[in-house]
Amino acid sequence: MHSGKLLLTGGVSSIDGAAGGGLTPWAVTGGYGTAGEFGGSAFATRVKTQDYGLTGYGVAIAWDDRFELSLAHQDFDTGPVGGALAGVLGDPSFNDLRLKQDIVGLKVRVAGDAVLDSDRWMPQVAVGLQHKKAHAGPLADVLTAFGAKDSGTDLYVSATKLFLGQGVLVNLTLRATKANQNGLLGFGATEHDRYRVQPELSLAYLFSKRIAAGIEYRAKPDNLRDNSALGAGALKEDDWADLFVAWAPCKSFSLTAAYADLGKIVPGVVTRRQTGAYVSAQIAF
């Protein structure tokens, strides 16, 4: 293990565990290993909006700068939604409701090299999957009634282009998914149970070899939008976006901070947009 990659060219850890941006995977692999080497990373993330909170952590291991295996766990605090459901359903078990999720990811680089091809138009391209298992507690039976399953697999292809001389990185990911709120509210719905391809975009500028800043956008499928059991539009799902800064004082550690806009989450209970802070720490080798 010689930690051959340049600082920040392996991205950071996404909320789902794969290497990339905070919201979306890139075609890069985690850690600093290059051809014939192992690399890896571990992360912890906290997102706090006005009414909700998400804690996530996980690890990724990569081999040959080509194959990546990632594991992640998410714990979502539903804030006022749990109490509202407890009142509507007359079930106190919904108070302090937390939604949890386990994610196993696989990624394979199939073409290009983000650094070696930085003076050409060829991007680095990778394909991947993320298998997700949701643990919704007392909400599980409600989601089943809506036609949502408790597990699902996202499939994606990512193309990452690094313009090293200009210090610019561009990524496009196309994700085929059935996930509701990234899987925390299950997968699919009675009227919407097909895979839908959603775009995810990242644009970053490297101010120096240790500091990068940029923007991200992640589209969502909105499968539960037509469910009327909680009122029309009560479970409508918005897209996500953020503005981020990543700092790597050394190869073994990086810190990412962002302003995140997650749109309205369960607008039938909480009508305001959910914006707030995203902070993620990563160790890597």
Side-chain angles (χ1 to χ4, degrees), residues 170-181:
V170 181
N171 181 82
L172 170 64
T173 294
L174 296 177
R175 180 190 299 263
T177 182
K178 299 182 182 181
N180 308 321
Q181 292 295 356

Side-chain angles (χ1 to χ4, degrees), residues 139-151 178 180 185-194 223-224 227 229 235:
L139 190 62
D141 290 340
V142 176
L143 295 176
T144 299
F146 294 164
K149 299 177 176 61
D150 66 357
S151 65
K178 299 182 182 181
N180 308 321
L185 290 179
F187 303 84
T190 300
E191 301 296 327
H192 304 280
D193 197 38
R194 295 182 179 179
N223 296 317
L224 297 172
N227 187 280
L235 296 176

Side-chain angles (χ1 to χ4, degrees), residues 21-83:
L23 297 184
T24 181
W26 298 350
V28 299
T29 57
Y32 286 100
T34 55
E37 301 174 351
F38 279 103
S41 60
F43 78 96
T45 295
R46 176 66 177 170
V47 184
K48 185 69 177 73
T49 67
Q50 294 94 331
D51 300 290
Y52 303 104
L54 174 71
T55 300
Y57 54 86
V59 297
I61 187 76
W63 162 249
D64 199 34
D65 195 24
R66 185 171 299 274
F67 305 98
E68 177 187 272
L69 170 67
S70 59
L71 304 172
H73 177 77
Q74 296 173 348
D75 185 334
F76 183 75
D77 180 356
T78 64
V81 173

Side-chain angles (χ1 to χ4, degrees), residues 257-270:
Y259 169 81
D261 183 347
L262 306 183
K264 295 180 180 180
I265 300 176
V266 191
V269 177
V270 181

Side-chain angles (χ1 to χ4, degrees), residues 127-168:
V127 295
L129 64 82
Q130 294 174 341
H131 181 72
K132 304 179 179 183
K133 173 68 174 178
H135 307 279
L139 190 62
D141 290 340
V142 176
L143 295 176
T144 299
F146 294 164
K149 299 177 176 61
D150 66 357
S151 65
T153 302
D154 290 357
L155 307 172
Y156 67 87
V157 56
S158 295
T160 303
K161 178 58 189 170
L162 174 63
F163 300 93
L164 191 59
Q166 294 76 25
V168 174

